[in-house]
Every structure is written in structure tokens, then in C-alpha cells.
Amino acid sequence: MNKKDNERAKELARLYFAQGDTQAVVAEKVGVSRNTVNRWVSENGWDVQRAARTITRKEVVNKMLQKINGRLDTDQWTPDELAKAAAAIQRLDKQTNLVTIIEVFAQYNNWLCSRMRLDPELTPELVGIMTKYQDIFINEHSNAMVEFKQ
């Protein structure tokens, strides 16, 4: 496999992995060994990226509620902390935010991956470019949110 084919296989593997396929399935679809996919996942942090893209707003709210519940049982919350946590949950539950953006991008990327099988103009390289700009968009917006909160 030449360098260009290897990069194409790697990008396609990243897309399949981000979509939720196991490393074994990705290896089979792309035509590389499972060890190669495992190395790509480890070296490039694909597992972290997939987790960040697949967590939903509802899951974030549920985890926050569970944490609040646990701390309430042990009386570890001050009224001020509880009010702030409740406000954060309300914002997460009602506003479009970074989690919502990531959810939409994840759904769009899943659609693109499935569409690739039908549309010859939709290549792994093109999807990779779109994903690159989605990541830049997310990073810029997450940085803006951090700066706004400070």
C-alpha cells in the first residue's frame, strides 16, 4: 500500500470508527489489520474524539443530576452550589450549545459515511476535509465559551 492509499485508508477508518464501528469491523471494511486500526486509534486519540462526538445533551444532564443526587445524600452542597448546578442544567436542557453542535455534526458525519456508498463524488478525502473544519469550528466555539465564562 503506497502512502496515498494508506492515508486514504486511515481517514476512512477514522470515519468508520467515529461512526461507532468496532476496531475489528473497521479493519475489515478498510482492508488493514486490527493491530493497525488499534495503533491509529491510540496514536490519534480517536477513542476520545468518538466519545466527545457521541455523548448527548441528555446524557450530560443525567450525569449532572446523578452527581447532584449523590452529593445531596451526603449534604455536600451549599444552597449557592445547588442553585448554580440547577441553572447549568437548565441552560444545557434549553439552549443550543456546544454539545448540541457536536450532536448535529455526529449525525451529519454518520449520514455522510452511509451516503459515501451511494455517491462517488463523496470521497473519504472530502469527508475528511469537512470533518477537519467541523473540528476547527468546535474548538473555536469551545474556546469562546471558556473565554466568556472567565
Side-chain angles (χ1 to χ4, degrees), residues 51-63 92 99-100 102-103 107:
R53 288 184 175 275
T54 58
I55 192 166
T56 65
R57 184 175 59 244
K58 184 178 180 181
E59 290 171 320
V60 171
V61 169
N62 285 338
K63 286 181 183 193
L92 271 175
V99 174
T100 305
I102 292 170
E103 287 175 357
Q107 290 174 5

Side-chain angles (χ1 to χ4, degrees), residues 80-142:
D80 185 52
E81 289 174 326
L82 187 56
K84 286 179 181 177
I89 290 171
Q90 186 176 21
R91 281 192 308 272
L92 271 175
D93 212 23
K94 292 186 177 182
Q95 295 177 353
T96 299
N97 58 29
L98 196 57
V99 174
T100 305
I101 293 167
I102 292 170
E103 287 175 357
V104 171
F105 281 159
Q107 290 174 5
Y108 180 66
N109 289 339
N110 290 341
W111 177 80
L112 286 174
C113 286
S114 63
R115 185 75 189 168
M116 242 190 298
R117 297 179 186 110
L118 305 172
D119 190 345
E121 291 180 353
L122 193 57
T123 63
E125 292 83 8
L126 178 59
V127 173
I129 290 168
M130 287 188 275
T131 303
K132 171 187 166 187
Y133 284 101
Q134 289 173 359
D135 291 343
I136 291 169
F137 180 86
I138 290 167
N139 286 331
E140 287 178 359
H141 279 73
S142 64

